[in-house]
Amino acid sequence: MRRRIFAPAIALTLVFFGAQSAPARNASPPSSAALIGHWAFDEGTGTTAADSSGGGHPLTLQGGASWTKGVAGPSALAVTPQQDAASSGPVIDTSKSFTVSAWVNLASTNGYQTFVSEDGSQVSGFYLQLRADTGRFAFTRLAYDSTAAYGAVATSSIIPQPGVWYLLTGVYDAAAQTNSLYVDGALQQTVPILAPWSATGPLAVGRGFYNGAPTDWVSGAIDDVRAYSGALPAQDIRALAGTGSITVHEDQVGPAINPTQFGTFLEEINHSGDGGVYAELVRNRDLKESTSSPVYWSAVQDSGASAAIALDTSQPLDSASPVSLKLSVASLPAGGRAGIANDGYWGVPVTPATTYHLSFYARAGAGFAGLLTASLESSSGRVFASATIPAITAGWARYTATLTTAKGIGSTLDNRLVIATSSPAAAGGTAWFAMVSLFPPTYDSTPNGLRADLMQKIAALHPGFLRVPGGNYLEGQTLATYFNWKNTIGPVQDRPGHQDSAWGYWSQDGMGLLEYLEMAEELGAQPILAVFAGYTLNGTVVPQDQLAPYVQDALDEIQYAIGPATSTWGAMRAADGHPAPFDLHYVEIGNEDSFDRSGSYNGYRFPMFYDAIKAAYPQLKIIATTNVTSRTPDVIDDHYYSGNPDVIAGDAHVYDNTSRSGPGHIVGEYAVTQGSPTGTLAAALGEAAFLTGIERNAGIVIGASYAPLLINVNAQSWPTNLIGYNGLVSYGSPSYYAQRMLGDSLGDVVAPSQIVGGNGNLWAVATTKSGTTYLAVVNRGGTAATVDVSLAGVPAVSGGTATVLTGNPTAMNSVTHPTAVAPATEKLGSSGPVFRHTFPANSLTVLALSTG
Ligand code: AHR
């Protein structure tokens, strides 16, 4: 395929003007411009488009070019490759100043597509076009009639979307020696050019001309093409564009919104679980984070006391807890204190009027006597809460206490948990501790439960599903470190824990399969359960003849989730405290198996899991993590990550033409990875634009979830995340607020919508629900867009609200500035079904309109 490389504007300046004085840009007043060709394309039938300018240049439709609904007047020209409309001879003298404009609506944004051109003998005299090299609109001219000529390309800043009407205007100003492109009346770029040659061939609509032949056909619609002699002044170009519009077609029926339309995805990454949503405050509770030293623990030896701590395997609590924390008290004078202290996950949060639940196992060796005191205290020794624990006994026993803080204290994080004795009778003695645990009040007061502020934030997203437990975390690097669910259930002290080899830290698995399923339930979401499928991140593939036990594990896992309490694993679930089956409908086989280049996923892994699960649980829907041909999955999980918001916004149209007959799709992970540790407003707007496409395609895309959901800001495994926190404070990123806004305003059914003009930066989706119309509009441009909103099929609007998220595109939220970017809501008055609304620069707006 040939490539056209045009010199950049700066090079053009050198080529054309290097030996001359600089071009006199803006030196002359705007040229007067006369309409010399105007094709309204309102015939709607036949093979001729009349020239209403009086210039006498009708166009002939060729190759089967036809008619479609217009944007200016009733009809427009509809073209696909090899179809165009052309005059019999030249219309524009391209050696002089001229202007050309056209409304265009692309069916696809692939390849070069030229909307209006005029043929030379080798190349077109100009190209009003979409360029494949940039994916943007352009007004292009070559300096002379040859493919060897330098070219000047005035390029749009906007990236076109399919299905949107844009007004493109190209202006060649011979006096100023410039080429300019306008989109929807707004100047995009002006570049220097001197091209004093006249194209002598026909004016063509729907194609260009290159290398002596027609090329660059358009797929889409073109309307109201105008040609002017002279450079049309900017205010006239703005007037041509008029006020943009968004029409919501409530007179048409779109797809139903799925209960899973917006979901969440959680895995152990960035200390999302341990040190995150799992509310445990003691770090290294199981003493397995290091085999060489009791990390995050320290010896307390105050006021003359002398004590030491060490990991000890000589006094195991049980087989799952083979290591205990040995405290050796060398000396303990009266008034002194000796014991153990834990620093928590970058501090232990202390808040006023809060009751914390402490539990631990301990045993005393010979010579260790006296009461223990447990306390929450600051690093400088201020005690916020304390409790006395009876003298520990010689055998292992479990001890509990509650620690309650006073009302008047402030909230702080620079604290630690201390368990110590001041009894001189302990001097010279030894004690052992294991599974020391401290929980604050949890969400829904669930034992072994979840951190309340994080759960409140996640619940506010109204997730329809929770995809768990990963991600790379599910797969692990090796067969020894994948998420082996059977090791993550039962009493926490019986869980061995495992190395989170995907993200490089120890997972104590207090947050195990049951907790993931319960989390979904507490959020009112259905779990989407991803099962390990015999592939690990280091490329290990379980051979076909060894895969059966893994398939059986998946069947057992599903039975644990939904089997009756009389079944083997359902009984285990009941014993773990949850007799009722969970609300499971979807099971995902593996994660991102396109990375397995061996072909095993399609070859035998997916089929073996699919067949076994479908046979045992025919009601379950099976999600594949990549395309497969060996079986037909119910749903395919697609992931989208890019550091460029434009790319993710552009993906809004990926599913527009996907077959509605299935399989369905889920976007199990997506994010614009811009901003750290959580994203920018520009990232959020790119994602919101993407989500308009996900919602609009609800007929084939069952839902989407951002990834990763959580990050402890002290422990970054992944660049850009949704909700950030330390031990005390949590905050939502702009992406979080965008998702909340969209989740808060989800109707039952999509109302198809049409964008015309505006500022070329708009994305929109509308849904309706019993007397309410929700219209979400993303303006990714740097200028406000005022458009006429039109609700077709609705008599009037009787008020509503506009919720707006806007600001500096580079702005982010943080622990210290948690709401630097946050939405604001204002009331709207009553109006007819058509009203004018301004969507601010760099914004997501959700209009909730009463239309009943
Ligand atoms: O979301 C972070 C990671 O990205 C997930 O673990 C993995 O599935 C993807 O590659």
Side-chain angles (χ1 to χ4, degrees):
M1 200 173 154
R2 76 172 189 277
R3 278 242 176 281
R4 278 175 247 161
I5 314 285
F6 292 130
I10 185 70
L12 274 167
T13 306
L14 296 173
V15 168
F16 291 115
F17 308 118
Q20 309 168 12
S21 57
R25 274 173 244 157
N26 301 325
S28 51
S31 322
S32 62
L35 191 65
I36 55 172
H38 180 197
W39 301 274
F41 294 108
D42 283 335
E43 289 80 359
T45 183
T47 55
T48 304
D51 174 6
S52 63
S53 73
H57 295 291
L59 305 183
T60 303
L61 277 60
Q62 306 176 134
S66 59
W67 306 93
T68 188
K69 192 169 161 10
V71 64
S75 65
L77 179 70
V79 283
T80 60
Q82 311 299 326
Q83 300 178 341
D84 56 62
S87 62
S88 58
V91 176
I92 300 172
D93 179 352
T94 58
S95 69
K96 303 201 171 101
S97 295
F98 68 92
T99 302
V100 60
S101 78
W103 282 97
V104 304
N105 187 332
L106 295 159
S108 117
T109 50
N110 295 330
Y112 284 94
Q113 301 185 42
T114 296
F115 311 108
V116 190
S117 63
E118 191 165 87
D119 298 353
S121 66
Q122 290 303 306
V123 298
S124 297
F126 66 87
Y127 303 83
L128 191 61
Q129 63 179 179
L130 171 76
R131 290 188 64 87
D133 52 358
T134 57
R136 294 169 194 249
F137 290 129
F139 185 52
T140 304
R141 293 208 67 192
L142 283 96
Y144 53 95
D145 188 4
S146 164
T147 55
Y150 286 104
V153 185
T155 304
S156 71
S157 55
I158 70 135
I159 297 178
Q161 314 173 51
V164 173
W165 280 104
Y166 300 92
L167 179 71
L168 306 187
T169 308
V171 179
Y172 172 60
D173 188 329
Q177 299 176 350
T178 57
N179 221 25
S180 300
L181 175 71
Y182 294 75
V183 177
D184 296 334
L187 178 64
Q188 305 288 300
Q189 193 180 25
T190 296
V191 295
I193 177 70
L194 184 57
W197 66 282
S198 287
T200 53
L203 180 140
V205 176
R207 66 158 177 84
F209 194 80
Y210 196 78
N211 226 3
T215 188
D216 299 347
W217 277 277
V218 173
S219 287
I222 303 172
D223 202 0
D224 205 59
V225 175
R226 294 168 189 243
Y228 298 82
S229 63
L232 198 64
Q235 66 268 25
D236 294 359
I237 294 172
R238 272 197 299 278
L240 269 186
T243 304
S245 67
I246 298 175
T247 304
V248 177
H249 282 287
E250 304 204 23
D251 50 352
Q252 299 172 14
V253 180
I257 291 292
N258 300 287
T260 46
Q261 207 66 57
F262 289 118
T264 51
F265 162 60
L266 181 65
E267 67 175 327
E268 185 59 83
I269 182 174
N270 306 310
H271 278 274
S272 294
D274 290 356
V277 73
Y278 181 54
E280 175 62 78
L281 297 178
V282 173
R283 183 153 189 194
N284 196 18
R285 171 179 80 176
D286 61 5
L287 301 162
K288 292 174 182 163
E289 285 207 37
S290 162
T291 52
S292 54
S293 66
V295 290
Y296 311 109
W297 291 96
S298 55
V300 175
Q301 34 187 351
D302 294 345
S303 306
S306 170
I309 60 168
L311 294 176
D312 189 1
T313 52
S314 73
Q315 302 291 335
L317 172 64
D318 55 32
S319 59
S321 295
V323 184
S324 55
L325 183 64
K326 179 180 175 185
L327 169 68
S328 308
V329 181
S331 63
L332 183 52
R337 186 169 76 147
I340 59 173
N342 187 273
D343 296 336
Y345 290 93
W346 299 277
V348 176
V350 168
T351 52
T354 307
T355 296
Y356 299 80
H357 290 271
L358 173 72
S359 67
F360 61 91
Y361 290 85
R363 58 156 300 194
F368 191 94
L371 302 177
L372 294 177
T373 301
S375 54
L376 280 173
E377 47 188 75
S378 72
S379 57
S380 60
R382 179 178 171 194
V383 175
F384 296 108
S386 66
T388 301
I389 290 141
I392 57 176
T393 57
W396 281 108
R398 186 166 185 261
Y399 300 86
T400 61
T402 55
L403 301 170
T404 301
T405 57
K407 270 190 194 149
I409 64 165
S411 295
T412 53
L413 185 56
D414 185 18
N415 309 304
R416 59 184 191 155
L417 169 71
V418 172
I419 303 173
T421 180
S422 293
S423 168
T430 305
W432 289 266
F433 296 85
M435 289 302 287
V436 180
S437 169
L438 182 72
F439 270 82
T442 59
Y443 188 73
D444 276 353
S445 304
T446 308
N448 196 44
L450 305 177
R451 180 171 151 175
D453 62 329
L454 292 178
M455 283 296 282
Q456 281 152 6
K457 283 194 171 61
I458 301 166
L461 292 169
H462 309 306
F465 68 85
L466 176 68
R467 176 173 169 251
V468 286
N472 290 356
Y473 178 63
L474 170 73
E475 302 169 270
Q477 290 288 346
T478 62
L479 285 176
T481 56
Y482 71 89
F483 182 83
N484 189 348
W485 71 274
K486 283 180 179 163
N487 290 336
T488 74
I489 58 170
V492 290
Q493 66 272 16
D494 293 346
R495 302 181 192 180
H498 75 287
Q499 180 66 17
D500 177 356
S501 56
W503 304 113
Y505 58 92
W506 181 255
S507 174
Q508 62 178 308
D509 292 338
M511 183 90 196
L513 177 63
L514 179 76
E515 288 73 25
Y516 281 115
L517 295 170
E518 284 182 338
M519 178 173 172
E521 192 170 66
E522 289 180 38
L523 292 169
Q526 52 176 280
I528 289 186
L529 182 61
V531 298
F532 178 71
Y535 173 77
T536 64
L537 295 171
N538 70 353
T540 302
V541 177
V542 176
Q544 186 167 2
D545 61 359
Q546 295 169 30
L547 193 63
Y550 296 92
V551 176
Q552 188 57 50
D553 267 358
L555 292 174
D556 294 346
E557 186 172 5
I558 295 167
Q559 190 181 75
Y560 183 88
I562 58 172
T566 49
S567 62
T568 308
W569 291 101
M572 193 70 82
R573 181 192 67 238
D576 289 345
H578 201 288
F582 287 97
D583 184 32
L584 181 72
H585 302 278
Y586 292 93
V587 172
E588 181 161 355
I589 311 301
N591 177 61
E592 294 186 342
D593 288 274
S594 58
F595 285 105
D596 169 15
R597 305 283 180 209
S598 73
S600 73
Y601 191 67
N602 188 44
Y604 62 88
R605 291 194 294 114
F606 185 77
M608 284 175 72
F609 281 90
Y610 180 95
D611 292 350
I613 295 171
K614 282 285 184 188
Y617 301 98
Q619 79 278 20
L620 291 181
K621 295 197 165 56
I622 308 291
I623 303 176
T625 68
T626 185
N627 289 331
V628 283
T629 53
S630 51
R631 297 291 183 277
T632 305
D634 296 293
V635 177
I636 298 172
D637 182 1
D638 306 320
H639 294 179
Y640 296 81
Y641 291 104
S642 172
N644 182 351
D646 292 344
V647 171
I648 298 292
D651 287 334
H653 296 278
V654 166
Y655 299 103
D656 287 355
N657 300 311
T658 304
S659 161
R660 264 42 187 172
S661 56
H665 290 260
I666 187 168
V667 177
E669 299 178 29
Y670 72 87
V672 173
T673 50
Q674 184 194 77
S676 215
T678 52
T680 62
L681 175 63
L685 297 180
E687 291 151 5
F690 175 61
L691 290 174
T692 65
I694 297 303
E695 249 185 75
R696 196 180 55 244
N697 286 294
I700 195 67
V701 187
I702 66 164
S705 47
Y706 182 103
L709 174 67
L710 297 174
I711 181 166
N712 187 314
V713 296
N714 297 291
Q716 186 159 8
S717 322
W718 189 264
T720 312
N721 306 278
L722 194 68
I723 297 172
Y725 51 88
N726 60 20
L728 199 56
V729 177
S730 58
Y731 70 95
S733 61
S735 301
Y736 169 80
Y737 285 114
Q739 287 175 44
R740 258 181 84 163
M741 287 166 64
L742 294 170
D744 278 346
S745 55
L746 205 51
D748 298 330
V749 66
V750 174
S753 51
Q754 171 70 66
I755 301 172
V756 174
N759 61 8
N761 285 299
L762 302 183
W763 275 254
V765 67
T767 58
T768 61
K769 174 164 138 187
S770 58
T772 305
T773 301
Y774 298 107
L775 173 61
V777 177
V778 183
N779 179 7
R780 298 185 57 241
T783 54
T786 298
V787 302
D788 289 327
V789 176
S790 168
L791 307 183
V794 163
V797 174
S798 59
T801 57
T803 303
V804 183
L805 181 72
T806 189
N808 185 323
T810 62
M812 295 188 279
N813 293 333
S814 64
V815 164
T816 43
H817 297 97
T819 53
V821 184
T825 300
E826 63 177 30
K827 284 211 164 115
L828 298 175
S830 303
S831 71
V834 181
F835 59 93
R836 192 160 284 187
H837 193 88
T838 297
F839 298 96
N842 303 306
S843 67
L844 165 65
T845 301
V846 175
L847 301 181
L849 305 167
S850 299
T851 49

